[in-house]
Amino acid sequence: MNRNDLEQVRTFLHEYDGPEIRLMEVCGTHTASIAKNGIPALLSPAIHLISGPGCPVCVTVTDYIDRLVSLSRTPGTAVVSFGDLLRVRGSRLSLADARADGADVRMVYAPMQMLDFAAREPDRTFVFAAVGFETTAPVYALTLEEAARRELRNVKLLTSLKTMPEVIRAVVRAGTPDGRGRIDGFLAPGHVCAVTGSNEYQELAEETGLPFVVSGFTGPQLLASIAALVKLQGRGTCLNFYPEVVTGTGNAEAKALCRKYYEPCDASWRGLGSIPRSGLRLREEYRTLDAGSSGLDGDHAARGCECAKVLTGQIMPVECPLFGRICTPQYPNGACMVSQEGSCYNWYISGRTR
Ligand code: SF4
């Protein structure tokens, strides 16, 4: 987009005076980029941006964290995780608490690092906290593939893998045409679409009668996508504004790897409950690589936490009575304040109020 086009987009979004529009992003990286680029301040007061269930850490239920904590305290077992999950509390403790108490919890930047631990310490079982969406599911599958190639038998996953389409349907169902949870269009997740392709978002658009725009992550890309969603109001169609990365059918290799290792399953989302076929689990033939992922459905949200309402757009983060008082990034009360992709975290650090 050249400077003139960008200026036109900014003017259009700033001066929009049509009906109130509520747009949702369902990608944590979009949430973080919207905050970083100060985009809400550039929009007309009639355009509202809502952060949906796109941060994988934020939607992980407490039973899952409890299971990780329990595994980390099991003799001969180590839990391996990305850093942002360490501070999410289960019903009582977080992995960081468990580690401070002597449990074996190791933070990594890539799942493949776990394989080096496994090779060096063959008598210990390493369990990766496999949390994420369609974007990271192939990475975990690739890790298992590599573990098999290296004949490492002391590697497992505890999966909490989720897929986007069913939770988007659930969010649309949760909103009422005039109610606060109503969503008028979606910024489709650019990274997820790079794997799955944009075609399934065209299907969602036709089914829901709402516009979707697949967006990139820079400020100008996000502004252009938001402007397109405003102009597409009332039309059930999907536009791909990220064609340099996203195709209609996605990444065939990554999808084949996922089909090899996973099958769809019902999944529990923090605050949203169980949503049929909104997750992935290891296929029967790979179940020995699973560290006990099934049945982890319980979700005991922190006292007073309104994450469920935030994630479905029923309230904005600043409307949670604990926001900025009891709950801050330094002392998070709920999962949405922990991750750098969380709604509450991004509202707090950017000073956003609407
Ligand atoms: S501000 Fe904290 S307690 Fe409130 S919804 Fe967000 S994460 Fe939960």
Side-chain angles (χ1 to χ4, degrees), residues 304-307 310 317 320-324 327 333-337 344:
C305 178
E306 301 273 22
C307 276
V310 169
C320 170
L322 307 186
F323 181 90
C327 186
N333 185 55
C336 294
M337 191 61 94
C344 298

PDB file of all heavy atoms in Angstrom, residues 304-307 310 317 320-324 327 333-337 344, ligand 1:
ATOM      1  N   GLY A 304     -13.278 -14.195  40.536  1.00  0.00           N
ATOM      2  CA  GLY A 304     -13.602 -12.876  39.993  1.00  0.00           C
ATOM      3  C   GLY A 304     -13.147 -12.642  38.567  1.00  0.00           C
ATOM      4  O   GLY A 304     -13.403 -11.582  37.992  1.00  0.00           O
ATOM      5  N   CYS A 305     -12.461 -13.615  37.960  1.00  0.00           N
ATOM      6  CA  CYS A 305     -11.931 -13.410  36.606  1.00  0.00           C
ATOM      7  C   CYS A 305     -13.057 -13.470  35.577  1.00  0.00           C
ATOM      8  O   CYS A 305     -13.905 -14.358  35.616  1.00  0.00           O
ATOM      9  CB  CYS A 305     -10.875 -14.467  36.296  1.00  0.00           C
ATOM     10  SG  CYS A 305     -10.214 -14.314  34.633  1.00  0.00           S
ATOM     11  N   GLU A 306     -13.067 -12.513  34.665  1.00  0.00           N
ATOM     12  CA  GLU A 306     -14.126 -12.423  33.653  1.00  0.00           C
ATOM     13  C   GLU A 306     -13.608 -12.786  32.267  1.00  0.00           C
ATOM     14  O   GLU A 306     -14.123 -12.316  31.258  1.00  0.00           O
ATOM     15  CB  GLU A 306     -14.678 -10.987  33.627  1.00  0.00           C
ATOM     16  CG  GLU A 306     -15.261 -10.506  34.936  1.00  0.00           C
ATOM     17  CD  GLU A 306     -16.729 -10.882  35.079  1.00  0.00           C
ATOM     18  OE1 GLU A 306     -17.165 -11.830  34.401  1.00  0.00           O
ATOM     19  OE2 GLU A 306     -17.423 -10.225  35.878  1.00  0.00           O
ATOM     20  N   CYS A 307     -12.552 -13.626  32.213  1.00  0.00           N
ATOM     21  CA  CYS A 307     -11.953 -13.979  30.919  1.00  0.00           C
ATOM     22  C   CYS A 307     -12.987 -14.501  29.922  1.00  0.00           C
ATOM     23  O   CYS A 307     -12.918 -14.189  28.730  1.00  0.00           O
ATOM     24  CB  CYS A 307     -10.877 -15.046  31.097  1.00  0.00           C
ATOM     25  SG  CYS A 307      -9.256 -14.394  31.553  1.00  0.00           S
ATOM     26  N   VAL A 310     -14.688 -11.697  28.352  1.00  0.00           N
ATOM     27  CA  VAL A 310     -13.753 -10.938  27.510  1.00  0.00           C
ATOM     28  C   VAL A 310     -13.543 -11.666  26.186  1.00  0.00           C
ATOM     29  O   VAL A 310     -13.620 -11.077  25.098  1.00  0.00           O
ATOM     30  CB  VAL A 310     -12.397 -10.743  28.238  1.00  0.00           C
ATOM     31  CG1 VAL A 310     -11.340 -10.212  27.294  1.00  0.00           C
ATOM     32  CG2 VAL A 310     -12.567  -9.792  29.417  1.00  0.00           C
ATOM     33  N   PRO A 317     -11.908  -5.734  28.386  1.00  0.00           N
ATOM     34  CA  PRO A 317     -11.061  -6.021  29.550  1.00  0.00           C
ATOM     35  C   PRO A 317     -11.178  -4.985  30.663  1.00  0.00           C
ATOM     36  O   PRO A 317     -11.225  -5.340  31.843  1.00  0.00           O
ATOM     37  CB  PRO A 317      -9.648  -6.046  28.950  1.00  0.00           C
ATOM     38  CG  PRO A 317      -9.862  -6.556  27.568  1.00  0.00           C
ATOM     39  CD  PRO A 317     -11.159  -5.924  27.111  1.00  0.00           C
ATOM     40  N   CYS A 320     -13.690  -5.519  33.496  1.00  0.00           N
ATOM     41  CA  CYS A 320     -13.506  -6.495  34.580  1.00  0.00           C
ATOM     42  C   CYS A 320     -13.126  -5.708  35.836  1.00  0.00           C
ATOM     43  O   CYS A 320     -12.183  -4.901  35.809  1.00  0.00           O
ATOM     44  CB  CYS A 320     -12.403  -7.491  34.224  1.00  0.00           C
ATOM     45  SG  CYS A 320     -11.947  -8.518  35.629  1.00  0.00           S
ATOM     46  N   PRO A 321     -13.822  -5.926  36.948  1.00  0.00           N
ATOM     47  CA  PRO A 321     -13.543  -5.146  38.159  1.00  0.00           C
ATOM     48  C   PRO A 321     -12.112  -5.308  38.675  1.00  0.00           C
ATOM     49  O   PRO A 321     -11.609  -4.453  39.392  1.00  0.00           O
ATOM     50  CB  PRO A 321     -14.546  -5.695  39.184  1.00  0.00           C
ATOM     51  CG  PRO A 321     -15.530  -6.506  38.427  1.00  0.00           C
ATOM     52  CD  PRO A 321     -14.917  -6.878  37.120  1.00  0.00           C
ATOM     53  N   LEU A 322     -11.437  -6.388  38.278  1.00  0.00           N
ATOM     54  CA  LEU A 322     -10.085  -6.625  38.785  1.00  0.00           C
ATOM     55  C   LEU A 322      -9.002  -6.001  37.898  1.00  0.00           C
ATOM     56  O   LEU A 322      -7.846  -5.901  38.301  1.00  0.00           O
ATOM     57  CB  LEU A 322      -9.824  -8.132  38.894  1.00  0.00           C
ATOM     58  CG  LEU A 322     -10.847  -8.946  39.685  1.00  0.00           C
ATOM     59  CD1 LEU A 322     -10.382 -10.377  39.821  1.00  0.00           C
ATOM     60  CD2 LEU A 322     -11.074  -8.335  41.066  1.00  0.00           C
ATOM     61  N   PHE A 323      -9.386  -5.583  36.684  1.00  0.00           N
ATOM     62  CA  PHE A 323      -8.415  -5.083  35.706  1.00  0.00           C
ATOM     63  C   PHE A 323      -7.611  -3.910  36.274  1.00  0.00           C
ATOM     64  O   PHE A 323      -8.176  -2.888  36.693  1.00  0.00           O
ATOM     65  CB  PHE A 323      -9.152  -4.640  34.440  1.00  0.00           C
ATOM     66  CG  PHE A 323      -8.243  -4.117  33.352  1.00  0.00           C
ATOM     67  CD1 PHE A 323      -7.712  -4.984  32.407  1.00  0.00           C
ATOM     68  CD2 PHE A 323      -7.911  -2.772  33.273  1.00  0.00           C
ATOM     69  CE1 PHE A 323      -6.869  -4.512  31.403  1.00  0.00           C
ATOM     70  CE2 PHE A 323      -7.068  -2.290  32.275  1.00  0.00           C
ATOM     71  CZ  PHE A 323      -6.549  -3.165  31.343  1.00  0.00           C
ATOM     72  N   GLY A 324      -6.287  -4.062  36.275  1.00  0.00           N
ATOM     73  CA  GLY A 324      -5.409  -2.963  36.684  1.00  0.00           C
ATOM     74  C   GLY A 324      -5.369  -2.729  38.178  1.00  0.00           C
ATOM     75  O   GLY A 324      -4.558  -1.940  38.649  1.00  0.00           O
ATOM     76  N   CYS A 327      -5.475  -7.361  39.183  1.00  0.00           N
ATOM     77  CA  CYS A 327      -4.902  -8.125  38.062  1.00  0.00           C
ATOM     78  C   CYS A 327      -4.058  -7.223  37.161  1.00  0.00           C
ATOM     79  O   CYS A 327      -4.580  -6.313  36.519  1.00  0.00           O
ATOM     80  CB  CYS A 327      -6.048  -8.758  37.270  1.00  0.00           C
ATOM     81  SG  CYS A 327      -5.489  -9.870  35.981  1.00  0.00           S
ATOM     82  N   ASN A 333      -4.145 -12.276  37.522  1.00  0.00           N
ATOM     83  CA  ASN A 333      -5.147 -13.088  38.205  1.00  0.00           C
ATOM     84  C   ASN A 333      -5.724 -14.134  37.242  1.00  0.00           C
ATOM     85  O   ASN A 333      -6.005 -15.257  37.621  1.00  0.00           O
ATOM     86  CB  ASN A 333      -6.275 -12.188  38.711  1.00  0.00           C
ATOM     87  CG  ASN A 333      -7.283 -12.955  39.545  1.00  0.00           C
ATOM     88  OD1 ASN A 333      -6.910 -13.599  40.513  1.00  0.00           O
ATOM     89  ND2 ASN A 333      -8.548 -12.912  39.157  1.00  0.00           N
ATOM     90  N   GLY A 334      -5.882 -13.747  35.989  1.00  0.00           N
ATOM     91  CA  GLY A 334      -6.444 -14.659  34.991  1.00  0.00           C
ATOM     92  C   GLY A 334      -5.504 -14.824  33.811  1.00  0.00           C
ATOM     93  O   GLY A 334      -4.551 -14.057  33.637  1.00  0.00           O
ATOM     94  N   ALA A 335      -5.804 -15.841  32.978  1.00  0.00           N
ATOM     95  CA  ALA A 335      -4.905 -16.183  31.873  1.00  0.00           C
ATOM     96  C   ALA A 335      -4.784 -15.068  30.840  1.00  0.00           C
ATOM     97  O   ALA A 335      -3.737 -14.920  30.213  1.00  0.00           O
ATOM     98  CB  ALA A 335      -5.402 -17.459  31.208  1.00  0.00           C
ATOM     99  N   CYS A 336      -5.833 -14.266  30.649  1.00  0.00           N
ATOM    100  CA  CYS A 336      -5.776 -13.222  29.607  1.00  0.00           C
ATOM    101  C   CYS A 336      -4.783 -12.113  29.957  1.00  0.00           C
ATOM    102  O   CYS A 336      -4.466 -11.278  29.117  1.00  0.00           O
ATOM    103  CB  CYS A 336      -7.154 -12.606  29.394  1.00  0.00           C
ATOM    104  SG  CYS A 336      -8.355 -13.753  28.715  1.00  0.00           S
ATOM    105  N   MET A 337      -4.322 -12.079  31.200  1.00  0.00           N
ATOM    106  CA  MET A 337      -3.349 -11.063  31.616  1.00  0.00           C
ATOM    107  C   MET A 337      -1.928 -11.625  31.605  1.00  0.00           C
ATOM    108  O   MET A 337      -0.963 -10.897  31.805  1.00  0.00           O
ATOM    109  CB  MET A 337      -3.713 -10.549  33.019  1.00  0.00           C
ATOM    110  CG  MET A 337      -2.966  -9.336  33.481  1.00  0.00           C
ATOM    111  SD  MET A 337      -3.206  -7.866  32.463  1.00  0.00           S
ATOM    112  CE  MET A 337      -4.559  -7.045  33.314  1.00  0.00           C
ATOM    113  N   CYS A 344      -6.308  -8.890  27.923  1.00  0.00           N
ATOM    114  CA  CYS A 344      -6.162  -8.000  29.078  1.00  0.00           C
ATOM    115  C   CYS A 344      -4.742  -7.458  29.147  1.00  0.00           C
ATOM    116  O   CYS A 344      -4.534  -6.272  29.430  1.00  0.00           O
ATOM    117  CB  CYS A 344      -6.543  -8.739  30.363  1.00  0.00           C
ATOM    118  SG  CYS A 344      -8.263  -9.283  30.345  1.00  0.00           S
TER     119      CYS A 344
HETATM  120  S1  SF4 B   1      -8.415  -8.401  34.024  1.00  0.00           S
HETATM  121 FE1  SF4 B   1      -7.556 -10.272  34.894  1.00  0.00          FE
HETATM  122  S2  SF4 B   1      -9.181 -11.123  36.147  1.00  0.00           S
HETATM  123 FE2  SF4 B   1     -10.130  -9.642  34.746  1.00  0.00          FE
HETATM  124  S3  SF4 B   1     -10.737 -10.829  32.944  1.00  0.00           S
HETATM  125 FE3  SF4 B   1      -8.698 -10.067  32.545  1.00  0.00          FE
HETATM  126  S4  SF4 B   1      -7.336 -11.726  33.204  1.00  0.00           S
HETATM  127 FE4  SF4 B   1      -9.340 -12.125  34.139  1.00  0.00          FE
END
